[in-house]
Coordinates of all heavy atoms in Angstrom, one line a residue:
M1 N 0.8 -1.2 0.0 CA 0.0 0.0 0.0 C 0.9 1.2 0.0 O 1.9 1.3 0.7 CB -0.9 0.0 1.3 CG -1.8 1.2 1.4 SD -2.7 1.0 2.9 CE -3.6 2.6 2.9
A2 N 0.6 2.2 -0.8 CA 1.3 3.5 -0.9 C 0.5 4.6 -0.3 O -0.6 4.9 -0.8 CB 1.6 3.8 -2.4
L3 N 0.9 5.1 0.7 CA 0.3 6.3 1.4 C 1.4 7.3 1.5 O 2.2 7.3 2.4 CB -0.3 5.9 2.8 CG -1.3 6.8 3.4 CD1 -2.5 6.9 2.5 CD2 -1.7 6.3 4.8
W4 N 1.4 8.2 0.5 CA 2.5 9.1 0.4 C 2.9 9.8 1.7 O 2.0 10.3 2.4 CB 2.2 10.2 -0.7 CG 3.4 11.0 -1.0 CD1 4.3 10.8 -2.0 CD2 3.7 12.3 -0.4 NE1 5.2 11.8 -2.0 CE2 4.9 12.7 -1.0 CE3 3.2 13.0 0.6 CZ2 5.5 13.9 -0.6 CZ3 3.8 14.2 1.0 CH2 5.0 14.6 0.3
P5 N 4.2 9.8 2.1 CA 5.4 9.3 1.3 C 5.8 8.0 1.7 O 7.0 7.6 1.6 CB 6.4 10.4 1.7 CG 6.1 10.7 3.2 CD 4.6 10.6 3.3
F6 N 4.9 7.1 2.2 CA 5.3 5.8 2.7 C 4.8 4.7 1.8 O 3.7 4.8 1.2 CB 4.8 5.6 4.1 CG 5.2 6.6 5.1 CD1 4.3 7.6 5.5 CD2 6.5 6.7 5.5 CE1 4.7 8.6 6.4 CE2 6.9 7.7 6.4 CZ 6.0 8.6 6.8
I7 N 5.5 3.5 1.8 CA 5.1 2.3 1.2 C 5.0 1.3 2.3 O 6.0 1.1 3.0 CB 6.1 1.8 0.1 CG1 6.1 2.8 -1.1 CG2 5.7 0.4 -0.4 CD1 7.1 2.5 -2.2
L8 N 3.9 0.6 2.5 CA 3.7 -0.3 3.6 C 3.7 -1.7 3.0 O 2.9 -2.1 2.2 CB 2.4 0.0 4.3 CG 2.2 1.5 4.7 CD1 0.8 1.7 5.3 CD2 3.2 1.9 5.7
V9 N 4.7 -2.6 3.5 CA 4.8 -4.0 3.0 C 5.0 -4.9 4.3 O 5.6 -4.4 5.2 CB 5.9 -4.2 2.0 CG1 5.5 -3.7 0.7 CG2 7.2 -3.6 2.5
K10 N 4.6 -6.1 4.1 CA 4.8 -7.1 5.2 C 6.2 -7.7 5.2 O 6.8 -7.9 6.3 CB 3.7 -8.2 5.1 CG 2.3 -7.8 5.5 CD 1.4 -8.9 5.4 CE 0.0 -8.5 5.6 NZ -1.0 -9.5 5.3
N11 N 6.7 -8.1 4.1 CA 7.9 -8.9 4.0 C 8.7 -8.4 2.8 O 8.3 -8.5 1.6 CB 7.6 -10.4 3.8 CG 8.8 -11.2 3.8 OD1 9.9 -10.8 3.7 ND2 8.6 -12.5 3.8
L12 N 10.0 -7.9 3.0 CA 10.8 -7.3 2.0 C 11.6 -8.4 1.2 O 12.2 -8.0 0.2 CB 11.7 -6.3 2.6 CG 11.1 -5.0 3.2 CD1 12.1 -4.2 3.9 CD2 10.4 -4.2 2.1
A13 N 11.6 -9.6 1.7 CA 12.6 -10.6 1.2 C 12.3 -11.2 -0.1 O 13.2 -11.6 -0.9 CB 12.8 -11.7 2.3
T14 N 11.1 -11.3 -0.5 CA 10.7 -12.1 -1.6 C 10.7 -11.3 -2.9 O 10.6 -10.1 -2.9 CB 9.3 -12.8 -1.5 OG1 8.4 -11.7 -1.4 CG2 9.2 -13.6 -0.2
K15 N 10.8 -12.0 -4.1 CA 10.7 -11.4 -5.4 C 9.3 -10.8 -5.5 O 9.2 -9.7 -6.1 CB 11.0 -12.5 -6.5 CG 10.8 -12.0 -7.9 CD 11.9 -11.1 -8.3 CE 11.8 -10.7 -9.8 NZ 12.7 -9.7 -10.2
E16 N 8.3 -11.5 -5.0 CA 7.0 -11.0 -5.1 C 6.9 -9.6 -4.4 O 6.2 -8.7 -4.8 CB 6.0 -12.0 -4.4 CG 4.6 -11.7 -4.6 CD 3.7 -12.7 -3.8 OE1 4.2 -13.4 -3.0 OE2 2.5 -12.7 -4.2
S17 N 7.6 -9.5 -3.2 CA 7.6 -8.3 -2.5 C 8.3 -7.2 -3.3 O 7.8 -6.0 -3.2 CB 8.4 -8.4 -1.2 OG 7.7 -9.3 -0.3
Q18 N 9.3 -7.5 -4.1 CA 10.0 -6.5 -4.9 C 9.0 -6.0 -6.0 O 9.0 -4.8 -6.3 CB 11.2 -7.0 -5.6 CG 12.3 -7.4 -4.6 CD 12.7 -6.3 -3.6 OE1 13.0 -5.2 -4.1 NE2 12.7 -6.5 -2.3
V19 N 8.2 -6.9 -6.5 CA 7.2 -6.4 -7.5 C 6.1 -5.6 -6.8 O 5.7 -4.5 -7.4 CB 6.5 -7.7 -8.2 CG1 5.3 -7.3 -9.0 CG2 7.6 -8.4 -9.0
I20 N 5.7 -5.9 -5.6 CA 4.7 -5.1 -4.9 C 5.3 -3.8 -4.6 O 4.6 -2.7 -4.8 CB 4.3 -5.9 -3.6 CG1 3.5 -7.1 -4.0 CG2 3.5 -4.9 -2.7 CD1 3.2 -8.1 -2.8
I21 N 6.5 -3.7 -4.2 CA 7.2 -2.4 -3.8 C 7.3 -1.6 -5.1 O 7.0 -0.4 -5.1 CB 8.6 -2.7 -3.2 CG1 8.4 -3.2 -1.8 CG2 9.4 -1.4 -3.2 CD1 9.7 -3.8 -1.2
H22 N 7.6 -2.2 -6.2 CA 7.7 -1.4 -7.5 C 6.3 -0.9 -7.9 O 6.1 0.3 -8.3 CB 8.3 -2.2 -8.6 CG 8.6 -1.4 -9.8 ND1 8.0 -1.5 -11.0 CD2 9.5 -0.4 -9.9 CE1 8.5 -0.6 -11.8 NE2 9.4 0.1 -11.2
H23 N 5.3 -1.7 -7.7 CA 3.9 -1.3 -8.0 C 3.6 -0.1 -7.1 O 3.0 0.9 -7.7 CB 3.0 -2.5 -7.6 CG 1.5 -2.2 -7.8 ND1 0.8 -2.7 -8.8 CD2 0.7 -1.4 -7.0 CE1 -0.5 -2.3 -8.7 NE2 -0.6 -1.5 -7.6
E24 N 4.0 -0.1 -5.9 CA 3.7 1.0 -5.0 C 4.5 2.3 -5.3 O 4.1 3.4 -5.2 CB 3.8 0.6 -3.5 CG 2.9 -0.5 -3.1 CD 1.4 -0.3 -3.4 OE1 1.0 0.9 -3.5 OE2 0.7 -1.3 -3.5
K25 N 5.8 2.0 -5.8 CA 6.6 3.2 -6.2 C 6.0 3.9 -7.4 O 6.1 5.1 -7.5 CB 8.0 2.7 -6.6 CG 8.9 2.4 -5.4 CD 10.3 2.0 -5.9 CE 11.2 1.9 -4.7 NZ 12.6 1.4 -5.2
I26 N 5.3 3.1 -8.3 CA 4.6 3.7 -9.4 C 3.5 4.6 -8.9 O 3.3 5.8 -9.3 CB 4.1 2.7 -10.4 CG1 5.3 2.0 -11.1 CG2 3.2 3.3 -11.4 CD1 4.9 0.7 -11.9
H27 N 2.8 4.1 -7.9 CA 1.7 5.0 -7.2 C 2.3 6.2 -6.6 O 1.7 7.3 -6.6 CB 0.9 4.2 -6.2 CG 0.0 3.2 -6.8 ND1 -0.8 3.4 -7.9 CD2 -0.4 1.9 -6.4 CE1 -1.5 2.4 -8.2 NE2 -1.3 1.4 -7.3
I28 N 3.4 6.1 -5.9 CA 4.1 7.2 -5.3 C 4.4 8.3 -6.4 O 4.2 9.5 -6.2 CB 5.4 6.8 -4.6 CG1 5.0 6.0 -3.3 CG2 6.2 8.1 -4.2 CD1 4.4 6.7 -2.2
R29 N 4.9 7.9 -7.5 CA 5.2 8.8 -8.6 C 3.9 9.5 -9.1 O 3.9 10.7 -9.4 CB 5.9 8.0 -9.8 CG 6.3 8.9 -11.0 CD 7.4 9.9 -10.7 NE 8.6 9.2 -10.4 CZ 9.5 8.8 -11.3 NH1 9.3 9.0 -12.6 NH2 10.6 8.1 -11.0
Q30 N 2.9 8.6 -9.3 CA 1.6 9.2 -9.7 C 1.1 10.2 -8.7 O 0.6 11.3 -9.1 CB 0.5 8.1 -9.8 CG 0.8 7.1 -10.9 CD 0.0 5.8 -10.7 OE1 -0.5 5.5 -9.6 NE2 -0.1 5.0 -11.8
Q31 N 1.3 10.0 -7.4 CA 0.8 10.9 -6.4 C 1.6 12.2 -6.4 O 1.0 13.3 -6.3 CB 0.9 10.2 -5.0 CG -0.1 9.1 -4.9 CD 0.2 8.2 -3.7 OE1 0.9 8.6 -2.8 NE2 -0.4 7.0 -3.6
L32 N 2.9 12.0 -6.5 CA 3.8 13.2 -6.5 C 3.5 14.2 -7.7 O 3.4 15.4 -7.5 CB 5.3 12.8 -6.6 CG 6.0 12.4 -5.4 CD1 7.4 11.9 -5.7 CD2 6.1 13.6 -4.4
E33 N 3.3 13.6 -8.9 CA 3.1 14.5 -10.0 C 1.7 15.1 -10.0 O 1.4 16.0 -10.8 CB 3.4 13.7 -11.3 CG 2.4 12.6 -11.6 CD 2.9 11.7 -12.8 OE1 4.0 11.8 -13.3 OE2 2.1 10.9 -13.2
M34 N 0.8 14.6 -9.1 CA -0.5 15.2 -9.0 C -0.6 16.0 -7.6 O -1.8 16.3 -7.2 CB -1.6 14.2 -9.1 CG -1.6 13.6 -10.5 SD -3.0 12.4 -10.7 CE -4.4 13.5 -10.7
F35 N 0.5 16.2 -7.0 CA 0.5 16.9 -5.7 C -0.4 16.2 -4.6 O -1.1 16.8 -3.8 CB 0.1 18.4 -5.8 CG 1.0 19.1 -6.8 CD1 0.5 19.4 -8.1 CD2 2.3 19.4 -6.5 CE1 1.3 20.0 -9.0 CE2 3.1 20.1 -7.4 CZ 2.6 20.4 -8.7
V36 N -0.4 14.9 -4.6 CA -0.9 14.0 -3.6 C -2.4 14.0 -3.5 O -3.1 13.1 -4.0 CB -0.2 14.1 -2.3 CG1 -0.7 13.0 -1.3 CG2 1.3 14.1 -2.4
L37 N -3.0 15.0 -2.9 CA -4.4 15.0 -2.6 C -5.3 14.9 -3.9 O -6.2 14.1 -3.9 CB -4.8 16.3 -1.8 CG -6.3 16.3 -1.4 CD1 -6.7 15.1 -0.5 CD2 -6.7 17.6 -0.7
P38 N -5.0 15.7 -5.0 CA -5.8 15.5 -6.2 C -5.7 14.0 -6.7 O -6.7 13.5 -7.3 CB -5.2 16.5 -7.2 CG -4.6 17.5 -6.3 CD -4.1 16.8 -5.1
F39 N -4.6 13.4 -6.5 CA -4.5 11.9 -6.9 C -5.6 11.1 -6.3 O -6.3 10.4 -7.0 CB -3.1 11.4 -6.5 CG -3.1 9.9 -6.6 CD1 -2.7 9.2 -7.8 CD2 -3.3 9.1 -5.5 CE1 -2.7 7.8 -7.9 CE2 -3.3 7.7 -5.6 CZ -3.0 7.1 -6.8
Y40 N -5.8 11.3 -5.0 CA -6.8 10.5 -4.3 C -8.2 10.8 -4.8 O -9.1 10.0 -4.9 CB -6.7 10.7 -2.8 CG -5.5 10.0 -2.2 CD1 -4.4 10.8 -1.8 CD2 -5.4 8.6 -2.1 CE1 -3.2 10.1 -1.3 CE2 -4.2 8.0 -1.6 CZ -3.2 8.8 -1.3 OH -2.0 8.2 -0.8
I41 N -8.4 12.1 -5.1 CA -9.8 12.5 -5.6 C -10.0 11.9 -6.9 O -11.1 11.4 -7.2 CB -9.8 14.1 -5.6 CG1 -9.8 14.6 -4.2 CG2 -11.1 14.5 -6.3 CD1 -9.5 16.1 -4.1
V42 N -9.0 12.0 -7.8 CA -9.2 11.4 -9.2 C -9.3 9.9 -9.1 O -10.2 9.3 -9.8 CB -8.1 11.9 -10.1 CG1 -8.2 11.2 -11.5 CG2 -8.1 13.4 -10.3
Y43 N -8.5 9.3 -8.3 CA -8.5 7.9 -8.1 C -9.9 7.4 -7.7 O -10.5 6.5 -8.2 CB -7.5 7.5 -7.0 CG -7.3 6.0 -6.8 CD1 -6.1 5.4 -7.3 CD2 -8.2 5.2 -6.1 CE1 -5.9 4.0 -7.1 CE2 -8.0 3.9 -5.8 CZ -6.9 3.3 -6.3 OH -6.6 1.9 -6.1
L44 N -10.4 8.0 -6.6 CA -11.8 7.7 -6.1 C -12.8 8.0 -7.2 O -13.8 7.2 -7.3 CB -12.0 8.5 -4.8 CG -13.4 8.1 -4.1 CD1 -13.4 6.6 -3.7 CD2 -13.6 9.0 -2.9
S45 N -12.7 9.1 -7.9 CA -13.7 9.4 -9.0 C -13.7 8.3 -10.0 O -14.8 7.9 -10.5 CB -13.3 10.7 -9.6 OG -13.4 11.8 -8.7
F46 N -12.6 7.8 -10.4 CA -12.6 6.7 -11.4 C -13.2 5.5 -10.8 O -14.0 4.8 -11.5 CB -11.1 6.4 -11.8 CG -10.6 7.2 -13.0 CD1 -9.5 8.1 -12.8 CD2 -11.1 7.1 -14.3 CE1 -9.0 8.8 -13.8 CE2 -10.7 7.9 -15.3 CZ -9.6 8.7 -15.1
Y47 N -12.9 5.2 -9.6 CA -13.5 4.0 -9.0 C -15.0 4.1 -8.9 O -15.8 3.2 -9.3 CB -13.0 3.8 -7.5 CG -13.7 2.7 -6.8 CD1 -13.3 1.4 -7.1 CD2 -14.6 3.0 -5.8 CE1 -14.0 0.3 -6.4 CE2 -15.3 1.9 -5.2 CZ -14.9 0.6 -5.5 OH -15.6 -0.4 -4.8
L48 N -15.5 5.3 -8.5 CA -17.0 5.5 -8.4 C -17.6 5.4 -9.8 O -18.7 4.9 -10.0 CB -17.3 6.8 -7.7 CG -16.9 6.8 -6.2 CD1 -17.1 8.2 -5.6 CD2 -17.7 5.8 -5.4
Y49 N -16.9 6.0 -10.8 CA -17.4 6.0 -12.2 C -17.6 4.5 -12.7 O -18.7 4.2 -13.2 CB -16.5 6.7 -13.1 CG -16.8 6.6 -14.6 CD1 -17.8 7.3 -15.2 CD2 -16.0 5.8 -15.4 CE1 -18.1 7.2 -16.5 CE2 -16.2 5.6 -16.7 CZ -17.3 6.3 -17.3 OH -17.5 6.2 -18.6
Y50 N -16.6 3.7 -12.4 CA -16.7 2.3 -12.9 C -17.7 1.5 -12.1 O -18.4 0.6 -12.6 CB -15.4 1.6 -12.9 CG -14.4 2.2 -13.9 CD1 -13.2 2.7 -13.6 CD2 -14.8 2.2 -15.3 CE1 -12.3 3.3 -14.5 CE2 -13.9 2.7 -16.2 CZ -12.7 3.3 -15.8 OH -11.9 3.8 -16.8
R51 N -17.9 1.9 -10.8 CA -18.9 1.2 -10.0 C -20.3 1.6 -10.5 O -21.2 0.7 -10.6 CB -18.8 1.6 -8.5 CG -17.6 1.0 -7.8 CD -17.8 -0.5 -7.6 NE -18.7 -0.7 -6.4 CZ -19.3 -1.8 -6.2 NH1 -19.2 -2.8 -7.0 NH2 -20.1 -1.9 -5.2
I52 N -20.5 2.9 -10.7 CA -21.8 3.4 -11.2 C -22.2 2.7 -12.6 O -23.3 2.4 -12.9 CB -21.8 4.9 -11.3 CG1 -21.9 5.6 -9.9 CG2 -23.0 5.4 -12.2 CD1 -21.5 7.0 -9.9
K53 N -21.1 2.4 -13.4 CA -21.4 1.8 -14.6 C -21.7 0.3 -14.5 O -21.9 -0.4 -15.4 CB -20.1 1.9 -15.6 CG -20.1 3.3 -16.1 CD -19.0 3.4 -17.2 CE -19.5 2.8 -18.5 NZ -18.6 2.9 -19.6
G54 N -21.7 -0.2 -13.2 CA -22.2 -1.6 -12.9 C -21.1 -2.6 -12.7 O -21.4 -3.8 -12.5
N55 N -19.8 -2.1 -12.6 CA -18.8 -3.1 -12.3 C -18.7 -3.4 -10.8 O -18.9 -2.6 -9.9 CB -17.4 -2.4 -12.6 CG -17.3 -2.2 -14.1 OD1 -17.0 -3.1 -14.9 ND2 -17.5 -0.9 -14.5
P56 N -18.5 -4.7 -10.5 CA -18.3 -5.1 -9.1 C -17.0 -4.4 -8.5 O -16.2 -4.0 -9.3 CB -18.2 -6.6 -9.1 CG -18.0 -7.0 -10.5 CD -18.4 -5.9 -11.4
H57 N -16.8 -4.4 -7.2 CA -15.7 -3.8 -6.6 C -14.4 -4.0 -7.2 O -13.7 -3.1 -7.6 CB -15.7 -4.1 -5.1 CG -14.3 -3.8 -4.5 ND1 -13.9 -2.5 -4.2 CD2 -13.3 -4.6 -4.1 CE1 -12.7 -2.6 -3.7 NE2 -12.3 -3.8 -3.6
M58 N -14.0 -5.3 -7.3 CA -12.7 -5.7 -7.8 C -12.5 -5.2 -9.3 O -11.4 -4.8 -9.6 CB -12.5 -7.2 -7.7 CG -11.0 -7.6 -7.7 SD -10.1 -6.8 -6.4 CE -8.5 -7.3 -6.8
Q59 N -13.5 -5.4 -10.1 CA -13.4 -5.0 -11.5 C -13.2 -3.5 -11.6 O -12.5 -3.0 -12.4 CB -14.7 -5.5 -12.2 CG -14.4 -5.8 -13.7 CD -15.6 -6.4 -14.3 OE1 -16.4 -7.1 -13.7 NE2 -15.8 -6.2 -15.6
A60 N -14.0 -2.7 -10.8 CA -13.9 -1.3 -10.8 C -12.5 -0.8 -10.4 O -11.9 0.0 -11.0 CB -15.0 -0.7 -9.9
Y61 N -12.0 -1.5 -9.4 CA -10.6 -1.2 -8.9 C -9.6 -1.4 -10.0 O -8.7 -0.6 -10.2 CB -10.4 -2.1 -7.6 CG -8.9 -2.3 -7.3 CD1 -8.2 -1.3 -6.7 CD2 -8.3 -3.5 -7.6 CE1 -6.8 -1.5 -6.4 CE2 -7.0 -3.7 -7.3 CZ -6.2 -2.7 -6.7 OH -4.9 -2.9 -6.4
L62 N -9.7 -2.6 -10.6 CA -8.7 -2.9 -11.7 C -8.8 -2.1 -12.9 O -7.9 -2.0 -13.7 CB -8.8 -4.4 -12.0 CG -8.4 -5.4 -10.9 CD1 -8.8 -6.8 -11.3 CD2 -6.9 -5.3 -10.6
R63 N -9.9 -1.4 -13.1 CA -10.1 -0.5 -14.2 C -9.6 0.9 -14.0 O -9.4 1.7 -14.9 CB -11.6 -0.4 -14.6 CG -12.0 -1.7 -15.3 CD -13.4 -1.6 -15.8 NE -13.7 -2.8 -16.5 CZ -14.6 -2.8 -17.5 NH1 -15.3 -1.8 -17.8 NH2 -14.8 -4.0 -18.2
I64 N -9.3 1.3 -12.7 CA -8.7 2.6 -12.4 C -7.4 2.7 -13.2 O -6.5 1.9 -13.1 CB -8.5 2.7 -10.9 CG1 -9.9 2.6 -10.2 CG2 -7.8 4.0 -10.6 CD1 -9.7 2.5 -8.6
P65 N -7.3 3.8 -14.0 CA -6.1 3.9 -14.8 C -4.8 3.9 -14.0 O -3.7 3.4 -14.5 CB -6.2 5.2 -15.6 CG -7.5 5.8 -15.2 CD -8.2 4.9 -14.3
F66 N -4.8 4.4 -12.8 CA -3.6 4.4 -11.9 C -3.2 2.9 -11.6 O -2.0 2.6 -11.6 CB -3.8 5.1 -10.6 CG -4.2 6.5 -10.8 CD1 -5.5 7.0 -10.5 CD2 -3.3 7.5 -11.3 CE1 -5.8 8.3 -10.7 CE2 -3.6 8.8 -11.5 CZ -4.9 9.2 -11.2
E67 N -4.2 2.1 -11.4 CA -4.0 0.6 -11.1 C -3.5 -0.1 -12.4 O -2.7 -0.9 -12.4 CB -5.2 0.0 -10.5 CG -5.5 0.5 -9.1 CD -4.4 0.3 -8.1 OE1 -3.5 -0.6 -8.3 OE2 -4.5 1.0 -7.1
R68 N -4.2 0.2 -13.5 CA -3.8 -0.4 -14.8 C -2.3 -0.2 -15.1 O -1.6 -1.1 -15.4 CB -4.6 0.2 -15.9 CG -6.0 -0.3 -16.0 CD -6.7 0.4 -17.3 NE -8.1 0.1 -17.4 CZ -8.6 -0.8 -18.1 NH1 -7.9 -1.6 -18.8 NH2 -9.9 -1.0 -18.2
E69 N -1.9 1.1 -14.9 CA -0.5 1.4 -15.2 C 0.4 0.6 -14.2 O 1.4 0.0 -14.6 CB -0.2 2.9 -15.1 CG 1.2 3.2 -15.3 CD 1.6 4.7 -15.0 OE1 0.8 5.4 -14.3 OE2 2.7 5.1 -15.4
A70 N 0.1 0.7 -12.9 CA 0.9 0.0 -11.9 C 1.0 -1.5 -12.1 O 2.1 -2.1 -12.0 CB 0.4 0.4 -10.5
Y71 N -0.2 -2.1 -12.4 CA -0.1 -3.6 -12.6 C 0.6 -3.9 -13.9 O 1.3 -4.9 -14.0 CB -1.6 -4.2 -12.6 CG -2.1 -4.4 -11.3 CD1 -3.1 -3.6 -10.8 CD2 -1.6 -5.4 -10.4 CE1 -3.6 -3.8 -9.5 CE2 -2.1 -5.6 -9.2 CZ -3.1 -4.8 -8.7 OH -3.6 -5.0 -7.4
C72 N 0.4 -3.1 -14.9 CA 1.0 -3.4 -16.2 C 2.6 -3.3 -16.1 O 3.3 -4.1 -16.8 CB 0.5 -2.4 -17.3 SG 1.0 -2.8 -18.9
E73 N 3.1 -2.4 -15.4 CA 4.5 -2.1 -15.3 C 5.2 -2.5 -14.0 O 6.4 -2.2 -13.9 CB 4.7 -0.6 -15.5 CG 4.1 0.0 -16.8 CD 4.8 -0.6 -18.1 OE1 5.9 -1.2 -18.0 OE2 4.2 -0.4 -19.2
E74 N 4.5 -3.2 -13.1 CA 5.1 -3.5 -11.8 C 6.3 -4.4 -11.9 O 7.2 -4.4 -11.0 CB 4.0 -4.1 -10.9 CG 3.5 -5.5 -11.3 CD 2.4 -6.0 -10.5 OE1 1.8 -5.2 -9.6 OE2 2.0 -7.1 -10.6
S75 N 6.4 -5.2 -13.0 CA 7.6 -6.1 -13.1 C 8.7 -5.5 -14.0 O 9.7 -6.1 -14.2 CB 7.1 -7.5 -13.7 OG 6.3 -8.1 -12.8
N76 N 8.4 -4.4 -14.5 CA 9.3 -3.7 -15.4 C 10.1 -2.7 -14.5 O 9.7 -1.5 -14.4 CB 8.6 -2.9 -16.5 CG 9.5 -2.1 -17.4 OD1 10.7 -2.2 -17.3 ND2 8.9 -1.4 -18.3
F77 N 11.2 -3.1 -13.9 CA 11.9 -2.3 -12.9 C 12.6 -1.1 -13.4 O 13.0 -0.3 -12.7 CB 12.8 -3.2 -12.1 CG 12.1 -4.3 -11.3 CD1 12.2 -5.6 -11.7 CD2 11.3 -4.0 -10.2 CE1 11.5 -6.6 -11.0 CE2 10.6 -5.0 -9.5 CZ 10.7 -6.3 -9.9
D78 N 12.8 -1.0 -14.8 CA 13.3 0.2 -15.3 C 12.3 1.3 -15.7 O 12.6 2.4 -16.1 CB 14.1 -0.1 -16.7 CG 15.2 -1.0 -16.4 OD1 15.8 -1.0 -15.3 OD2 15.6 -1.8 -17.3
Y79 N 11.0 0.9 -15.5 CA 9.9 1.7 -16.0 C 10.0 3.2 -15.5 O 9.8 4.1 -16.3 CB 8.6 1.1 -15.6 CG 7.4 1.9 -16.0 CD1 7.1 2.0 -17.3 CD2 6.5 2.5 -15.1 CE1 6.0 2.8 -17.7 CE2 5.5 3.2 -15.4 CZ 5.2 3.4 -16.8 OH 4.1 4.1 -17.2
L80 N 10.2 3.4 -14.2 CA 10.2 4.7 -13.7 C 11.3 5.6 -14.2 O 11.1 6.9 -14.2 CB 10.2 4.7 -12.1 CG 8.9 4.2 -11.5 CD1 9.0 4.1 -10.0 CD2 7.7 5.2 -11.8
D81 N 12.3 5.0 -14.8 CA 13.4 5.8 -15.4 C 13.0 6.4 -16.7 O 13.5 7.5 -17.1 CB 14.6 5.0 -15.6 CG 15.2 4.5 -14.3 OD1 15.1 5.1 -13.3 OD2 15.9 3.4 -14.4
K82 N 12.0 5.8 -17.4 CA 11.6 6.2 -18.7 C 10.2 6.7 -18.8 O 9.8 7.2 -19.8 CB 11.7 5.0 -19.7 CG 13.0 4.3 -19.8 CD 12.9 3.0 -20.6 CE 13.8 2.0 -20.1 NZ 13.4 0.6 -20.4
R83 N 9.5 6.6 -17.7 CA 8.1 6.9 -17.7 C 7.8 8.4 -18.0 O 8.5 9.3 -17.5 CB 7.5 6.6 -16.3 CG 6.1 6.9 -16.1 CD 5.6 6.6 -14.7 NE 4.2 6.9 -14.5 CZ 3.8 8.0 -14.1 NH1 4.6 9.0 -13.9 NH2 2.5 8.2 -13.9
K84 N 6.8 8.6 -18.8 CA 6.4 10.0 -19.2 C 5.5 10.6 -18.1 O 4.8 9.8 -17.4 CB 5.7 10.0 -20.5 CG 6.6 9.7 -21.7 CD 5.8 9.7 -23.0 CE 6.7 9.4 -24.1 NZ 6.0 9.3 -25.4
F85 N 5.5 11.9 -18.0 CA 4.6 12.6 -17.1 C 3.2 12.2 -17.3 O 2.7 12.2 -18.4 CB 4.8 14.1 -17.3 CG 4.1 15.0 -16.3 CD1 4.5 15.1 -15.0 CD2 2.9 15.6 -16.7 CE1 3.8 16.0 -14.1 CE2 2.2 16.5 -15.9 CZ 2.7 16.6 -14.6
W86 N 2.5 12.0 -16.2 CA 1.0 11.6 -16.3 C 0.8 10.4 -17.2 O -0.2 10.4 -17.9 CB 0.1 12.8 -16.7 CG -0.1 13.7 -15.5 CD1 0.7 14.0 -14.5 CD2 -1.3 14.5 -15.3 NE1 0.1 14.9 -13.7 CE2 -1.1 15.3 -14.2 CE3 -2.5 14.6 -16.1 CZ2 -2.1 16.1 -13.7 CZ3 -3.5 15.5 -15.6 CH2 -3.2 16.3 -14.4
A87 N 1.7 9.4 -17.2 CA 1.6 8.3 -18.1 C 0.3 7.5 -17.8 O -0.2 6.8 -18.7 CB 2.8 7.4 -18.0
W88 N -0.2 7.6 -16.6 CA -1.5 6.9 -16.3 C -2.6 7.2 -17.3 O -3.5 6.4 -17.5 CB -1.9 7.2 -14.8 CG -2.1 8.6 -14.6 CD1 -1.2 9.5 -14.1 CD2 -3.3 9.4 -14.8 NE1 -1.8 10.8 -14.0 CE2 -3.1 10.7 -14.4 CE3 -4.6 9.0 -15.2 CZ2 -4.1 11.7 -14.4 CZ3 -5.6 10.0 -15.2 CH2 -5.3 11.3 -14.9
R89 N -2.6 8.4 -17.9 CA -3.7 8.8 -18.8 C -3.8 7.9 -20.0 O -4.8 7.9 -20.6 CB -3.5 10.3 -19.1 CG -2.4 10.6 -20.0 CD -2.3 12.1 -20.2 NE -1.3 12.5 -21.2 CZ 0.0 12.6 -21.0 NH1 0.5 12.4 -19.8 NH2 0.8 13.0 -21.9
Y90 N -2.7 7.2 -20.3 CA -2.7 6.3 -21.5 C -3.5 5.1 -21.2 O -3.8 4.2 -22.0 CB -1.3 6.0 -22.0 CG -0.5 7.1 -22.4 CD1 0.7 7.4 -21.7 CD2 -0.9 8.0 -23.4 CE1 1.5 8.5 -22.0 CE2 -0.2 9.1 -23.7 CZ 1.0 9.4 -23.0 OH 1.8 10.5 -23.4
Y91 N -3.9 4.9 -19.9 CA -4.5 3.7 -19.4 C -6.0 3.9 -19.2 O -6.7 3.1 -18.6 CB -3.9 3.1 -18.2 CG -2.5 2.6 -18.4 CD1 -1.4 3.5 -18.4 CD2 -2.2 1.3 -18.7 CE1 -0.1 3.1 -18.7 CE2 -1.0 0.8 -19.0 CZ 0.1 1.7 -19.0 OH 1.4 1.3 -19.2
I92 N -6.5 5.1 -19.6 CA -8.0 5.4 -19.4 C -8.8 4.6 -20.4 O -8.5 4.7 -21.6 CB -8.2 6.9 -19.5 CG1 -7.5 7.7 -18.4 CG2 -9.7 7.2 -19.4 CD1 -7.6 9.2 -18.5
R93 N -9.7 3.9 -19.9 CA -10.7 3.1 -20.8 C -12.1 3.3 -20.3 O -12.3 3.7 -19.1 CB -10.4 1.6 -20.7 CG -9.0 1.2 -21.0 CD -8.7 1.1 -22.5 NE -7.4 0.5 -22.7 CZ -6.2 1.1 -22.6 NH1 -6.2 2.4 -22.3 NH2 -5.1 0.5 -22.9
N94 N -13.0 3.1 -21.1 CA -14.5 3.2 -20.7 C -14.9 1.9 -19.9 O -14.4 0.9 -20.0 CB -15.4 3.3 -21.9 CG -15.3 4.8 -22.4 OD1 -15.1 5.7 -21.6 ND2 -15.5 4.9 -23.7
Ligands
ZN101 ZN1 -2.1 -0.4 -7.0

């Protein structure tokens, strides 16, 4: 879980944990470039939009563009070096 400026994880030792940490680092970058609070407002707005469109909780969560970007790139450990500003916008879908 990423709660700027912290990443909260249970176990740092596993490869799976490294992927989770990278996923959360992507969220930290997303939050920083949106000055943190607006990130949460936009994040929640996307979630509610997908819920109103009839998606169950997990599906709505996975459709949030911030999550799409983070899940898509979480194993690409060079990603943050090349990532474009507001790259999450390329993951917006209906
Ligand atoms: Zn996430």
